[in-house]
Structure formats: C-alpha cells, structure tokens
C-alpha cells in the first residue's frame, strides 16, 4: 500500500497522446512539419517535468495520406496504444474517414485539416485547428469588394485542397454578389498553366483567384507574368511561405495579394498583436531544432497539442475530460489564431486568423 | 480569339518540344533493345535536380552546373544498363520492362532521400522578360527550348545516318542477329543507346526546369507524356516522334483552352489509347508485316 502511494507521488502514469500525419506521400508537406512540431513540443514539455507531473508518451504513425491506412492506424492508436487523444490526420479526406472511429471509441480527435465538413455539423469528439477555407475566401472577397472588383475568375488545383476551396469560393461568391466569369482547374503536377490563363484573360475578370499549394501557384504566378496579364492575382493562404516567393521569383510575385496565416508574417505584425510572442517562440524553436523556418502546417499540430495540454491541466487526463476541456477553451493564443471553442463551434477561429498581405520586392507587406 | 488560339499553339509547341525530346529517348532504347525504358522520366528529373544541386549547394556557374548534370545523368544511365539490363540479356522484354520500372522507383527514392521533397527553381538561361508575338507572348526560355530541341534532333539524325556507330545502331534495330553476324558489337550498341537517351533526358530536364521547376517526382508525368509522344510517332527515333510530341503538346493546350482544363491529362491518354487501338504502328509509319 505504502509503495503504491509513494510511486504515485513521485511518478504519475504517463499521458498517452497519438499523432496521425501524412509524413510521406503527396501530402508530406503537411505531415512532416506536423510530426516534427509535435516531437519538438513533447520533448520540451517532458524536459520541464511534464503536465502536472505526468510525462507525455507520444505515438506517431505515418498515414502516407491514405484514408484506409489512417482508419487502421487510428484504431491501433486507440485499441493498442490506449491514447487519450489524437492529433491529426493531416488531410480532410483522411479526417472524414477517421471521424467515425474517434466518435465510436469516444476519444477526442483534433484534426490538422482545414475542410469545413470536419466541424460542420459539429460532432461531439471532433475538433480542428486550421481556420476554415471560407475564412480565407471571405478575406479575399471583402478586399475585392472594397475595390469594386465584382467579376472573378477561379483557377484551382484538382486535389482535395483545391476542390474544397473552389466549392467555398463559388458558394461565397454567389452569396456576396460576385460574378464568376471563368472557372478553370489544373492538376497538382501541371507545369504550364498558360492555356487556362489565356482563357481567363479572354473572360476579362477584375481579379484572378488561384487556390492551391506549391508548386502549382508559383507556376501560375510565373505564367501570369509571362502572358503580361495585368489583372490582379490573388492566392490562397496555402502558399503563405517564403518558398512561394522564391519559386515564383520576386519579380513575378510582385503585387500578388493573399490572406496569410500570422506565422508567415509575424515579423511585420504590430507589437500589440496578441499572438506575436507565441509565433516568435515557435518559429525560433523550430529553426533551432530543424534548421528551417516553421510552417503554418506545423502550427496546426502545435495548436492541437496546446488545446489538449490545456484541457488536461484544467480538467484531467481522461478522454472525456479532455474533450470537455477543449470545448471550454476560451482566448487560447495559438499559432493559427486565438481559439474560442464552444459546443456550437469546434474550430474556434474567426476572420482575425488571417492577415491580408501584398508581396512587394520579395517580401510581405501588411494591407490595413 | 485569333491571338488566343495563337497563344494556345505556342504554349503547346513549347511543351510539345519537351515531350518529343523525352519520347526520342524512349525510341532510341526501344530500337536497340526492344524494351521500353520506363526510367526515362527519371533521367529528366536527374537533369533538372542535379543542375539545381550544383548551382545551389556548390555555387557553380550555370553552364558548368548544366554540363556536370548531363555527364552525371549519362553516367547513371550507363551504370543502370550495366547493373540492371546487361546481366539479364536473356530475359524476356516483359521482365526487362518491369526492371526499368523498378529502376525508376529506386532512382526516384534515392533522389528524394538525397535532395529532399521540395520543389526547386533554377534561373532562366537569359532574360525573363516576355516577348510579344502577334498578340501572344513567349519567354526567351521557350526559344531556348525550341532551339536546343531542334539542335539535338539534328545532331541525332546526323549521328544515326552519317556515322559508323549510328549506322551500326540502326542495323541492330532492324535485325539484331544479322547485325551481330556482320561483326557489330550489339552489347556495345545497347550501352551507347542508354548513354544517348539518358543524356537527352537530362537535357530535357535542364532546359525545362527554369520554366516548370523541378522536384524529385517530376519524372513520372513527363516520362508518361514522352512515352505517348513516342507511341504516336511509332517509336521512331526521328521525325515521327518529334511530330508526336508537338501534336500532343498542341492538342493538350487547345483542349485545355477550348474544351476544359480539367481534361488536360485525359486528352493525352485518350490519344494514346486511340493510337494503340487504331494505329499501333504510329501515325506516320506503314504497318509492318511479319515475314516468316
């Protein structure tokens, strides 16, 4: 009896947390920074003595971006590894496949994918940290309507990111009274978008909105310059990294406007910004550990772990108390934004998660 | 509308030139060995990636980086033939084709581990300012692509029709056994064919990289498109495949512009299937009859 008490006092049982990321495969640009971020943070938390004296045991599996694998691995995390919460998967498709497992097994899941379907309708055990795509789309539309640009052309990538963006953009455009004059797509591996852009130019839009992740949007940016198109070009938050400017070339990227997650632009944020400290600390720690700049995608995993850790500190380490703790999160300053969860909102981010920026001389400039 | 069509044509021709160059690589190896080398796309990738590596990591000037990339890729092609193709000379063409697929996965995997998964850009050979041409625009790099492709095809033609090695390789492609009976070293010709097509592949990769950028996995799609070009051209290592590539590029671009950009890749593969069904000997070649 005595020995049980003493061991409980000196070493509380570890808290088991699972991660499901597309570390390899086509979505590895998401999964790799997510895995690295999580490993870095857990190492740091354990070095400081864990949460309320319990260390974190982290179980990370590579889904390769495959929904079937994601489901198998989620089941494995819950049944074999007995995790109390899961962070991930990286993509919307995988998350939609894993939802039912987490719901059935009653384990909270904090997805790192942006698709709006994940948290609408709200499911009891499912949360997500990236802002909805339509938040970024709304930013672009409100910018355009201030400048009386009413006719839009879409150029979206034919993967899940682009398809989800295209859906949101079309729906929102119709609701806000924009006219869609061209709706073109390209495949993720396409290397020349001049045919699409030539067609778009013929439709005479007031602005072109491109929705994709690198390298496609960089090719689009180069092609716009090549065709000497003077119509304003808008990109999505998916390219908000210096890599995009590097790939496009500073000259071609000049004047491109996009909604950026704050991490990409923290060094030009006003000092009063609440996230500034978190963003700087995360970026610097990531650079120190891995030698490259932190990405918005890694930030999704950062926020996921932060939500879980805060919930454990507040209400305990059982799955149900973690779930309730996450739902009660208020004013939590994360990388993707300031989270305010509620029973009706399992994402908790609003329009302030993004800043509109213009690329000028190879760098970001805030548009106020 | 007229200058829109012109723009589609120009875009199509410049992409098509690349398909031709890759397609000829397929054809050369097919003609000397009877196998389709599905690692051809990886030679294209190596050309672009190695140029980037020499430029960015070793700070070489652009011409030196390009030269080294071609030499190294050619070496990879030769080693590939020595290690994977030659020891299995008596295997069926089918198993050799499967080996080339395995080889392509291996090369791609090594490139991913060595160079990472990022996409990289290399600078254009000359200025980046677009040139206007009757309402359509092209980049100086497009002219480089067309020019270099034409040069290579001309050199290629000269080699196959006016040098002793080239003639020997053509002899091998017509009848291997007869060629070896008149004293042609068939094995050496196979090695040369791998060297030539890997060098051509790497050049294709280098001249496109400033426009399309490069990463460890660009070889898959480019390889398939080059394969389509070679099929349209009836696996000829000359003009047939050049037209095949240009036709493919122009149809893709017109299809994306006039019909729907969602079907761009589908168009290429529908053409491939149609050719295989209707004219398996290629668009420009008379049907061969097998004489026994």
């Amino acid at each position: 009896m005595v020995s049980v008490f003493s061991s409980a006092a000196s070493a509380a049982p570890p808290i088991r947390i699972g991660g499901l990321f597309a570390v390899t495969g086509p979505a590895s640009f998401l999964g790799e920074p997510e895995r690295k971020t999580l490993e870095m943070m857990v190492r740091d938390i354990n070095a400081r003595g864990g949460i309320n004296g319990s260390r974190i045991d982290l179980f990370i599996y590579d889904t390769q971006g495959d929904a079937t694998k994601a489901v198998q691995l989620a089941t494995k995390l819950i049944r074999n590894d007995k995790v109390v919460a899961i962070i991930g998967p990286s993509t919307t498709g995988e998350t939609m496949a894993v939802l039912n497992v987490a719901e059935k097994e009653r384990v909270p899941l904090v997805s790192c994918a942006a698709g709006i379907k994940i948290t609408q309708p709200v499911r009891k055990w499912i949360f997500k940290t990236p802002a909805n795509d339509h938040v970024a789309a709304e930013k672009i539309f409100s910018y355009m309507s201030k400048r009386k640009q009413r006719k839009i052309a879409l150029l979206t990538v034919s993967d899940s990111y682009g398809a989800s963006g295209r859906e949101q953009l079309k729906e929102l455009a119709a609701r806000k009274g924009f006219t869609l004059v061209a709706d073109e797509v390209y495949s993720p591996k396409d290397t020349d978008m001049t045919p699409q852009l030539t067609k778009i130019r013929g439709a005479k839009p007031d602005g072109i909105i491109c929705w994709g992740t690198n390298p496609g949007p960089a090719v689009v940016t180069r092609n716009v310059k090549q065709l000497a198109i003077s119509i304003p070009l808008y990109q999505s938050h998916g390219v908000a990294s210096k890599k995009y400017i590097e790939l496009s070339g500073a000259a071609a990227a000049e004047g491109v406007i996009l909604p950026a997650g704050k991490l990409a632009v923290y060094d030009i944020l006003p000092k009063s910004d609440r996230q500034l400290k978190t963003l700087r600390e995360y970026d610097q720690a990531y650079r120190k550990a891995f030698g490259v700049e932190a990405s918005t995608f890694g930030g999704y995993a950062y926020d996921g772990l932060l939500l879980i850790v805060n919930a454990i500190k507040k209400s305990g380490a059982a799955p149900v108390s973690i779930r309730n703790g996450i739902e009660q999160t208020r004013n939590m300053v994360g990388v993707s934004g300031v989270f305010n969860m509620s029973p009706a909102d399992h994402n908790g981010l609003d329009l302030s998660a993004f800043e509109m920026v213009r690329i000028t001389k190879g760098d970001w400039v805030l548009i106020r | 509308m007229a200058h829109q069509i012109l723009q589609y044509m120009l875009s199509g021709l410049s992409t098509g030139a690349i398909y031709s160059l890759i397609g000829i690589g397929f054809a050369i190896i097919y003609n000397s060995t009877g196998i389709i080398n599905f690692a051809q796309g990886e030679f294209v990738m190596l050309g672009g990636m190695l140029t980037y590596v020499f430029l960015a990591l070793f700070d070489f000037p652009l011409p030196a980086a390009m030269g080294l990339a071609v030499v190294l890729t050619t070496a990879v092609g030769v080693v590939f033939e020595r290690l994977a193709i030659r020891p299995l000379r008596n295997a069926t063409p089918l198993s050799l084709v499967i080996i080339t697929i395995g080889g392509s996965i291996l090369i791609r995997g090594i490139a991913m581990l060595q160079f990472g998964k990022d996409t990289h850009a290399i600078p254009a050979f000359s200025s980046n300012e677009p040139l206007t041409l009757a309402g359509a625009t092209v980049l100086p790099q497009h002219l480089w692509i067309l020019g270099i492709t034409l040069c290579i095809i001309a050199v290629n033609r000269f080699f196959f029709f006016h040098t002793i090695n080239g003639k020997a390789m053509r002899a091998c492609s017509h009848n291997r056994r007869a060629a070896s009976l008149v004293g042609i070293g068939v094995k050496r010709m196979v090695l040369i064919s791998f060297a030539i097509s890997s060098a051509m592949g790497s050049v294709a990769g280098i001249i496109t990289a400033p426009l399309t950028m490069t990463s460890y996995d660009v070889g898959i799609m480019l390889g398939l498109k080059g394969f389509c070009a070679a099929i349209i051209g009836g696996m000829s290592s000359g003009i047939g495949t050049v037209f095949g590539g240009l036709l493919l590029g122009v149809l893709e671009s017109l299809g994306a512009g006039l019909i729907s950009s969602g079907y761009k890749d589908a168009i290429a593969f529908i053409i491939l299937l149609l050719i295989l069904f209707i004219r398996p000997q290629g668009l420009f070649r008379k049907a061969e009859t097998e004489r026994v």
Side-chain angles (χ1 to χ4, degrees), chain B residues 158-221:
Chain B
F158 177 81
F159 173 78
F160 279 111
F161 284 85
H162 302 283
T163 65
I164 191 82
N165 275 325
K167 286 178 182 170
M169 282 176 71
R170 275 172 52 222
C172 290
S173 79
H174 282 289
N175 191 324
R176 233 139 64 257
R177 200 184 155 100
S180 87
L181 283 176
V182 297
I184 294 172
V186 174
K187 285 185 176 173
R188 200 165 64 89
M189 296 304 142
V190 171
L191 188 66
I192 295 178
S193 73
F194 267 85
I196 296 177
S197 39
S198 52
M200 283 177 64
S202 68
V203 171
I206 293 169
I207 59 181
T208 46
L211 282 183
T212 64
M213 297 175 271
T214 185
S215 67
Y216 78 98
D217 59 353
V218 292
I220 309 172
M221 208 54 181

Side-chain angles (χ1 to χ4, degrees), chain A residues 23-25 28 32 184-187 189-192 194-196 198-199 201-202 214-215 218-219 222 225-228 243 246-247, chain B residues 4 7-8 11 15 117-121 129-130 135 137-139 142 210-213 215 217 253 256-259 261-262 264-265:
Chain A
V23 182
T24 60
S28 63
E32 190 151 290
E184 297 296 315
V185 294
Y186 64 89
S187 342
K189 287 277 140 202
D190 272 2
T191 51
D192 177 36
T194 52
Q196 289 94 323
T198 305
K199 198 170 168 185
R201 178 167 60 184
N214 284 327
V219 177
R222 287 158 163 249
K225 159 105 165 131
Q226 176 201 332
L227 294 172
K243 185 83 193 160
E246 181 198 320
L247 287 177
Chain B
Q4 268 192 30
Q7 184 68 55
Y8 295 143
S11 299
T15 340
K117 291 179 224 164
D118 273 345
T119 304
H120 301 286
E129 284 308 308
T137 50
V138 290
L139 288 174
H142 286 122
L211 282 183
T212 64
M213 297 175 271
S215 67
D217 59 353
S253 161
L258 300 178
I259 305 170
S261 44
K264 197 174 162 207
D265 289 329

Side-chain angles (χ1 to χ4, degrees), chain B residues 1-11 133-136:
Chain B
M1 197 65 197
H3 59 246
Q4 268 192 30
I5 302 269
L6 182 66
Q7 184 68 55
Y8 295 143
M9 299 289 284
L10 282 176
S11 299
L133 206 97

Side-chain angles (χ1 to χ4, degrees), chain A residues 19-39:
Chain A
L20 284 179
F21 303 120
V23 182
T24 60
S28 63
F29 69 96
L30 298 170
E32 190 151 290
E34 288 163 0
R35 175 181 65 90
K36 283 179 172 166
T37 299
L38 215 51
E39 285 175 350

